[in-house]
Amino acid sequence: MSFQNTLAYAQEQDQADTLRHFREQFHIPQHNGKDTVYLCGNSLGLQPKSARVAVEEEMVKWAELGVEGHFVGDTPWFTYHAALAGPTARVVGAKPQEVVVMNQLTVNLHLMLVSFYRPQGKRFKILTEAGAFPSDQYALESQVKFHGYAPEEAIIEVAPRAGEHTLRTEDIVQIIQQHGEELALVMMGGVNYYTGQVFDMAAITQAAHAVGALCGFDLAHAAGNVTLRLHDWDVDFAVWCTYKYLNSGPGGTSGVFVHERYAEDASLPRFAGWWGHDQSVRFQMKKGFIPMPGAEGWQLSNSQILPMAVHKASLQLFDEAGMNNLRAKSEKLTGYLEFLIKELNQPKEALEVITPEDPSARGCQLSLLVHQNGRQLFETLMANGFILDWREPNVIRVAPTPLYNTFEDVYRFGQFLAAHFQK
Ligand SMILES: *Cc1c(COP(=O)(O)O)cnc(C)c1O
């Protein structure tokens, strides 16, 4: 792809972008009366204008109908989650029966670990990526302790080779093979939150299964960002939040994938609640848990309608745009960002992109390792209407998203960096 470092070029790309009208469907935060350059959808996606309408609809329904809202209207609260299964399945490459929306991410990770981390005899270890998101580390540590193991013994971390920032699939596979019969579970991010690296989930799942282990992914940074084919990749389970690339609001609801081979498997241990109980007899309020088939059988509580209404509105935009179209634009947008950073011509000692160069090994985010005064650069950017995020010790994460970012956003960011490094 031949990019150009000019405003005219960026604006031409925006004109030619068939997804450009989606930006108007979002509220763009303002800075001095102008749109910010919002490159932080990896942390909190922007608000779709339709979200407020969707929440208001439910508020009106609650006001007018009270408890009756559970059973009337287009989307009765009783089965509200079911309306999200189709669009969710399309985002993560699953069958509708394999997904459910409920709770929040870390809660769901624990629920999945209850069912899919079942250490036995010498098969008790979990393999994960070094430097995983802290909540995932805490979840894994507390789960292995819950089963009576020491985290130092039970958790194996795969780290980058010396002098490298990202993991090699061959290393992950080799360590899986090395631990073989001791491995109960492989559980890692689909996209590493810090480096933006996309892991080869198909290869990792295959390697885990080959040694008799199960395999699950935290897709917090993957869902709505990269192409996922969870069913075809044969992944056992996955979890994700909806407030990052899925634009469903702070602390929003979360998604879960359970492969269909477990749909009717009543032998799996699980922590049960009434909303996972067979819907047709749920209100008989009887003893004896009978799980709903599929992922729905992991639900505990009745649906959180307000965050789910936001999510439903947001997923509608993903359906309208299509994940394939979004991904195609995303590769180009991030490619443009990478081009502009290379144009800065900075030595590696000053500025380094630690995200993989191969587009298939990254999503929209590039992580910039700023060796000197990174924090200061970050703060200057923020003070000038560029919204990004900072990760200790010295990384600025930049995430242009295809739904609401423009080539001009990326160009303006490049211009700002150019001025900064020329000083
Ligand atoms: C964002 C993120 C979380 C956050 O967990 P919550 O339970 O939603 O607060 C956890 N894990 C990963 C990998 C994340 O990126």
Side-chain angles (χ1 to χ4, degrees):
M1 222 173 275
S2 60
F3 296 114
Q4 292 169 32
N5 190 358
T6 65
L7 178 60
Y9 171 83
Q11 288 175 337
E12 267 167 40
Q13 298 312 301
D14 286 328
Q15 277 307 313
D17 170 17
T18 54
L19 300 176
R20 69 178 182 280
H21 56 285
F22 281 99
R23 179 178 170 87
E24 294 151 25
Q25 308 207 32
F26 287 86
H27 290 288
I28 311 290
Q30 300 292 295
H31 175 79
N32 293 341
K34 284 200 289 205
D35 287 354
T36 53
V37 173
Y38 194 84
L39 300 169
C40 210
N42 56 333
S43 186
L44 184 69
L46 291 182
Q47 183 185 139
K49 291 178 179 166
S50 54
R52 183 190 298 249
V53 181
V55 171
E56 258 161 23
E57 253 175 52
E58 301 308 326
M59 293 297 280
V60 168
K61 193 168 155 182
W62 177 23
E64 292 180 351
L65 298 172
V67 71
E68 286 299 295
H70 281 294
F71 300 103
V72 299
D74 293 341
T75 320
W77 300 331
F78 179 57
T79 49
Y80 201 89
H81 68 278
L84 305 180
T88 297
R90 288 187 278 281
V91 166
V92 298
K95 298 186 176 181
Q97 202 201 24
E98 292 175 314
V99 295
V100 70
V101 168
M102 59 183 191
N103 311 321
Q104 285 178 283
L105 172 55
T106 307
V107 173
N108 286 337
L109 178 55
H110 276 294
L111 292 179
M112 290 295 104
L113 290 170
V114 163
S115 294
F116 296 103
Y117 173 54
R118 291 175 297 149
Q120 255 189 346
K122 67 175 181 179
R123 194 185 282 284
F124 66 94
K125 295 185 177 173
I126 302 180
L127 180 138
T128 191
E129 85 235 59
F133 193 91
S135 203
D136 300 42
Q137 296 185 34
Y138 307 149
L140 292 182
E141 280 173 18
S142 55
Q143 285 278 339
V144 304
K145 283 189 192 163
F146 178 72
H147 286 280
Y149 302 99
E152 310 79 70
E153 244 190 290
I155 299 175
I156 305 152
E157 294 186 348
V158 189
R161 294 184 186 185
E164 298 183 5
H165 296 289
T166 52
L167 297 181
R168 299 192 190 198
T169 306
E170 65 204 85
D171 290 354
I172 301 170
V173 169
Q174 192 262 320
I175 296 176
I176 290 174
Q177 288 166 350
Q178 183 191 320
H179 290 273
E181 295 176 356
E182 294 174 355
L183 213 55
L185 179 69
V186 175
M187 185 353 254
M188 46 197 288
V191 174
N192 179 270
Y193 81 99
Y194 191 77
T195 64
Q197 178 181 19
V198 178
F199 298 121
D200 187 338
M201 288 170 258
I204 293 167
T205 305
Q206 202 183 12
H209 289 173
V211 300
L214 298 179
C215 190
F217 292 97
D218 182 331
L219 303 176
H221 281 262
N225 179 20
V226 297
T227 309
L228 296 167
R229 312 200 59 82
L230 297 181
H231 176 83
D232 294 345
W233 294 340
D234 215 26
V235 169
D236 294 293
F237 72 88
V239 289
W240 56 94
C241 54
T242 64
Y243 50 81
K244 290 171 181 165
Y245 295 109
L246 291 173
N247 308 320
S248 300
T253 187
S254 159
V256 167
F257 166 89
V258 178
H259 197 277
E260 75 173 348
R261 66 177 151 276
Y262 303 108
E264 313 271 353
D265 188 347
S267 74
L268 275 183
R270 72 178 97 191
F271 285 171
W274 75 317
W275 228 250
H277 185 80
D278 181 358
Q279 186 175 301
S280 65
V281 292
R282 188 177 301 150
F283 285 106
Q284 293 179 6
M285 311 301 238
K286 285 206 177 121
K287 233 174 135 62
F289 177 70
I290 306 165
M292 302 265 287
E296 285 179 310
W298 270 266
Q299 294 175 103
L300 299 181
S301 299
N302 72 97
S303 298
Q304 303 144 289
I305 300 304
L306 302 180
M308 284 191 184
V310 174
H311 191 38
K312 185 161 166 282
S314 178
L315 285 171
Q316 169 112 33
L317 297 177
F318 279 82
D319 259 348
E320 283 167 22
M323 266 319 290
N324 289 342
N325 298 329
L326 287 168
R327 178 62 182 158
K329 176 178 170 185
S330 177
E331 283 187 23
K332 208 169 155 193
L333 205 54
T334 295
Y336 190 45
L337 173 61
E338 180 180 48
F339 162 81
L340 294 174
I341 290 166
K342 282 189 180 151
E343 289 271 290
L344 298 171
N345 237 334
Q346 288 298 304
K348 212 173 153 201
E349 297 72 43
L351 178 71
E352 229 180 310
V353 176
I354 60 172
T355 308
E357 277 195 26
D358 172 6
S360 71
R362 67 185 185 202
C364 74
Q365 170 187 323
L366 293 186
S367 301
L368 314 187
L369 184 52
V370 188
H371 288 280
Q372 276 152 28
N373 305 327
R375 178 85 211 184
Q376 198 187 330
L377 169 59
F378 167 73
E379 275 164 17
T380 317
L381 279 160
M382 293 289 287
N384 283 276
F386 295 89
I387 313 294
L388 319 105
D389 81 7
W390 172 255
R391 283 289 165 264
E392 294 295 339
N394 46 13
V395 163
I396 298 176
R397 300 188 301 179
V398 190
T401 68
L403 263 178
Y404 50 74
N405 283 121
T406 60
F407 287 85
E408 188 172 332
D409 281 341
V410 172
Y411 172 78
R412 292 196 182 283
F413 175 71
Q415 282 292 100
F416 193 91
L417 282 192
H420 171 85
F421 283 107
Q422 267 160 28
K423 268 188 268 165

